[in-house]
Structure formats: structure tokens, C-alpha cells
């Protein structure tokens, strides 16, 4: 099947899923539905795909949307961020330690696979290290993608039980098309620059940085066209679901149970820390949860937009998480390599 046709069908599947779930009134249904529909199709054998060029366009749109939804009192609330950033740092230590132990002791993964699967984020960095012989790359990628997928699917459901934000950073009037085109062009250019500098999620962070700076300095106002936001959600859902393409159901099930348990533990720990932090800062718990959540910046940023939370807070905490993991992952890998002769090998075919 031609790649363009596969891409078109992937987007159609995502659109159908998005519309179906959004009709149920679930917050973030456009994103959740597309991700669910495409993931099911991919695991059923459909060759879902999202070209890199289209992916980058989606990342620019996510960054633009996040910048346009920055809360006007963000600068006043920055003073509260050290509290939640401290909670984030402690949370990461607890997540990696507990999930690593559970995957090793209960599911008999080798130490490399267990701990690299437990890190909440920096998948490309983790896979690069796994390719050097630390852990089982197939199991790691299944567990890591499964984590992002589950968070994307179930965070909106959890939001049904939490107060949902009602702030729309752009205001009630739509941004005029000329301003939108100029801001979008600037977002794309800065995103490209961030990517050339090898910054993680460069297109998202670069475009958000530009849009946020332009908004806070009064260079644009107004909300984005709803159709653009909805198309971004559909595309992001298709992108998340397409990551399961090429995985057989047997491969998925081999690591899925352990991944499900690890994800449940991670969500529970995040919820505890978010609840605790909510006593010390004046922010909605749902917003704190998204900031501390171990999901991808793109996915959690999109959910922040859909749920009406301050996207500057969410983005800052996810960037901080990536920076913390950049330091922590190599340290843990060195410890794992030092103890590797003492670990039990994984029972997967690839490590026998």
C-alpha cells in the first residue's frame, strides 16, 4: 500500500475515533478517540503511519496552541513552581525505584529492561542506550509507548472526576487569519531552530516559546480557530496510535502486562504527589497532575489545551522532567552495567 494512502487512512481512522469518543462528552475526546482507534487498528495489522513532515507540522500546531492558551497570570504564579518542581524530582525517584523493582522481581525482566522501561520519558535517548546492549529494546519500546497511550486515554476520563479548567488563553474572539499565519510561520522557524540545536521536542518547545513570547508581549490576542485545534487533536491521536504499527499482538502481550502494572503504579504515584502538592499551591489539582504526569510533552500539552489548564505550567514541568532524566538515565545505566553479571537474564527470545 502506498505511504500516502496509508497516511490518509490513518487520519480517517483517527477522525472517526475522535468524533465517536467526543460525542460521549469525555474531556479531550478528540485526542483520546483518535489515539484509541489507530492503536487498535495498528495492533490488528493495519500499517498505520505518520510521515515525519506531517508529524513536525502537528508539533508546531501543538506548540502554537499551547502558547495561545498561556494563562495571563502565569508570571505571577511562577513563584509557586519551585514547590511543584520539587515534588516532580522526588516523584521521579520514587517511580523509577518502585517500577524497576516490580518489573525485575515480579515479571523477571533483566535490570536494564526493567529500569529503562521505568523512566517516564526521553524515549529516543533510552532507545539509543538500549541499542548498545542494555536491556531488551522491543520490550522497552512497548512499555514506554504503552505508558504514553494509557495516560492519553485515561487522563481525560480522570478529568471527569476533577474540576476542569475553563480558561481559554485566547479570549472569546477568533484570531484573524493574517496574524495566525504570521505567528504560525514564526513558530515553525523557531521550532526548526530548536530542533537544529538538538533540543528535545524542539518543534513543540520552539513554537510554544515563540507564541508565548508574542502573546505575553501583546503582539497577538484572540483564540485559535476551533477547526485547527480539532485537526491538531486528530493528528496527534493518529501519531500516538501509529507507534504500535509493526508490533504483533504476541510481541505486545509479552510486555503489556508488566507495562500495564508499571503504568498503574506510575499513575498512582503521580496522583499522590499531585494531591500533596495541591495543599501548598493555589492551582487546580488536574493542572498539577498534568504537569507532574509522566506522559509525553506533546500529548500532555494537548490535553492541557483540551481541559483548559495553564499550558505554560505544564510545559515548564515537562521540560524540567526531561532535564532531570537526561542526568538520571546515564547514571542508572552505569549502575546497571556495573551489576549486570549479578542480574537474571530476561526470558524473552531476543535475550536467550
Amino acid at each position: 500500500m502506498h505511504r500516502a494512502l496509508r497516511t490518509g487512512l490513518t487520519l480517517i481512522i483517527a477522525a472517526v475515533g475522535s468524533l465517536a469518543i467526543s460525542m460521549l462528552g469525555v474531556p479531550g475526546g478528540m485526542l483520546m478517540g483518535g489515539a484509541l482507534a489507530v492503536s487498535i487498528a495498528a495492533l490488528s495489522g493495519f500499517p498505520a503511519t505518520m510521515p515525519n513532515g506531517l508529524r513536525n507540522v502537528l508539533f508546531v500546531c501543538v506548540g502554537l496552541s499551547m502558547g495561545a492558551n498561556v494563562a495571563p497570570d502565569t508570571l505571577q504564579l511562577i513563584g509557586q513552581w519551585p514547590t511543584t518542581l520539587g515534588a516532580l524530582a522526588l516523584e521521579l525517584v520514587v517511580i523509577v525505584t518502585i517500577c524497576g523493582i516490580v518489573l525485575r522481581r515480579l515479571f523477571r525482566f533483566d535490570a536494564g529492561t526493567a529500569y529503562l522501561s521505568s523512566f517516564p520519558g526521553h524515549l529516543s535517548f533510552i532507545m539509543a542506550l538500549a541499542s548498545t546492549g542494555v536491556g531488551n529494546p522491543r520490550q522497552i519500546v512497548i512499555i514506554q509507548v504503552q505508558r504514553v497511550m494509557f495516560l492519553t486515554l485515561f487522563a481525560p476520563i480522570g478529568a471527569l472526576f476533577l474540576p476542569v479548567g475553563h480558561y481559554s488563553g485566547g479570549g472569546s474572539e477568533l484570531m484573524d487569519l493574517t496574524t495566525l499565519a504570521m505567528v504560525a510561520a514564526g513558530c515553525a522557524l523557531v521550532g526548526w531552530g530548536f530542533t537544529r540545536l538538538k533540543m528535545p521536542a524542539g518543534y513543540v518547545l520552539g513554537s510554544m516559546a515563540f507564541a508565548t513570547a508574542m502573546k505575553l508581549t501583546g503582539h497577538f490576542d484572540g483564540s485559535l480557530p476551533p477547526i485547527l485545534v480539532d485537526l491538531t487533536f486528530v493528528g496527534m491521536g493518529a501519531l500516538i496510535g501509529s507507534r504500535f504499527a509493526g508490533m504483533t499482538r504476541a510481541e505486545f502481550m509479552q510486555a503489556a502486562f508488566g507495562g500495564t502494572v508499571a503504568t498503574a503504579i506510575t499513575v498512582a504515584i503521580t496522583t499522590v504527589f499531585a494531591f500533596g502538592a495541591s495543599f501548598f499551591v493555589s492551582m487546580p489539582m488536574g493542572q498539577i497532575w498534568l504537569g507532574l504526569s509522566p506522559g509525553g510533552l506533546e500529548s500532555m500539552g494537548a490535553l492541557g489545551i483540551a481541559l483548559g489548564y495553564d499550558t505554560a505550567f505544564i510545559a515548564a514541568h515537562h521540560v524540567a522532567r526531561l532535564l532531570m532524566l537526561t542526568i538520571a538515565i546515564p547514571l542508572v545505566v552505569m549502575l546497571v552495567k556495573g551489576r549486570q553479571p549479578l542480574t537474571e537474564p530476561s526470558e524473552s527470545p531476543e535475550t536467550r
Side-chain angles (χ1 to χ4, degrees):
M1 189 184 299
H2 194 274
R3 187 170 186 180
L5 179 57
R6 287 191 288 128
T7 301
L9 291 175
T10 300
L11 291 171
I12 291 173
I13 293 171
V16 171
S18 296
L19 291 173
I21 297 297
S22 63
M23 289 176 64
L24 299 177
V26 177
M30 292 294 288
L31 178 66
M32 172 185 175
L36 180 61
V38 176
S39 63
I40 292 173
L43 289 172
S44 299
F46 174 72
T49 186
M50 288 290 286
N52 289 341
L54 181 55
R55 179 202 64 186
N56 293 338
V57 170
L58 287 171
F59 287 173
V60 169
C61 289
V62 169
L64 170 60
S65 300
M66 292 173 70
N69 280 272
V70 168
D73 57 351
T74 291
L75 298 178
Q76 286 74 31
L77 294 175
I78 286 178
Q80 300 184 30
W81 290 7
T83 300
T84 49
L85 288 171
L88 174 63
L90 183 57
E91 171 196 279
L92 292 177
V93 174
V94 175
I95 287 174
V96 174
T97 300
I98 294 180
C99 289
I101 291 173
V102 168
L103 290 176
R104 283 191 65 198
R105 302 285 176 82
L106 186 60
F107 295 97
R108 314 303 296 174
F109 287 133
D110 64 88
T113 301
Y115 286 104
L116 287 181
S117 298
S118 300
F119 280 108
H122 248 331
L123 180 58
S124 58
F125 188 21
I126 288 172
M127 294 313 298
L129 291 172
S131 66
T132 66
V134 182
N136 183 322
R138 293 293 285 180
Q139 290 181 330
I140 292 170
V141 75
I142 290 172
I143 293 174
Q144 289 282 4
V145 172
Q146 186 180 7
R147 169 180 54 81
V148 176
M149 170 64 73
F150 280 7
L151 286 168
T152 304
L153 296 181
F154 296 117
I157 296 176
L160 290 172
F161 304 97
L162 294 170
V164 176
H166 297 287
Y167 170 73
S168 177
S172 58
E173 295 184 2
L174 292 180
M175 188 187 306
D176 67 87
L177 295 181
T178 302
T179 301
L180 175 60
M182 293 177 63
V183 174
C187 287
L189 181 60
V190 177
W192 177 83
F194 274 37
T195 302
R196 296 288 292 178
L197 294 173
K198 307 297 183 184
M199 296 187 67
Y203 276 106
V204 178
L205 290 179
S207 55
M208 180 186 175
F210 181 81
T212 299
M214 294 291 286
K215 179 178 177 58
L216 293 180
T217 54
H219 285 84
F220 81 88
D221 198 3
S223 61
L224 298 179
I227 184 64
L228 175 61
V229 178
D230 287 343
L231 289 176
T232 300
F233 288 162
V234 170
M236 283 300 301
L239 176 62
I240 294 168
S242 68
R243 289 172 176 167
F244 285 109
M247 295 182 187
T248 66
R249 274 175 284 184
E251 285 179 317
F252 178 78
M253 293 305 298
Q254 185 179 27
F257 188 35
T260 300
V261 172
T263 301
I265 293 172
T266 299
V267 169
I269 293 171
T270 300
T271 303
V272 169
F273 274 86
F275 182 72
S278 68
F279 287 98
F280 300 96
V281 296
S282 56
M283 301 177 192
M285 181 181 163
Q287 177 176 300
I288 300 171
W289 195 95
L290 282 180
L292 301 185
S293 71
L297 170 62
E298 303 88 354
S299 303
M300 296 302 104
L303 279 176
I305 298 167
L307 299 176
Y309 292 131
D310 180 6
T311 51
F313 173 87
I314 296 169
H317 284 66
H318 281 273
V319 171
R321 173 172 58 87
L322 293 176
L323 292 175
M324 294 175 191
L325 292 178
T326 300
I327 298 171
I329 291 172
L331 292 176
V332 173
V333 168
M334 285 190 290
L335 290 174
V336 168
K337 282 189 172 182
R339 298 177 56 191
Q340 212 150 26
L342 302 177
T343 62
E344 297 183 24
S346 171
E347 290 301 314
S348 71
E350 294 178 291
T351 56
R352 285 176 185 165

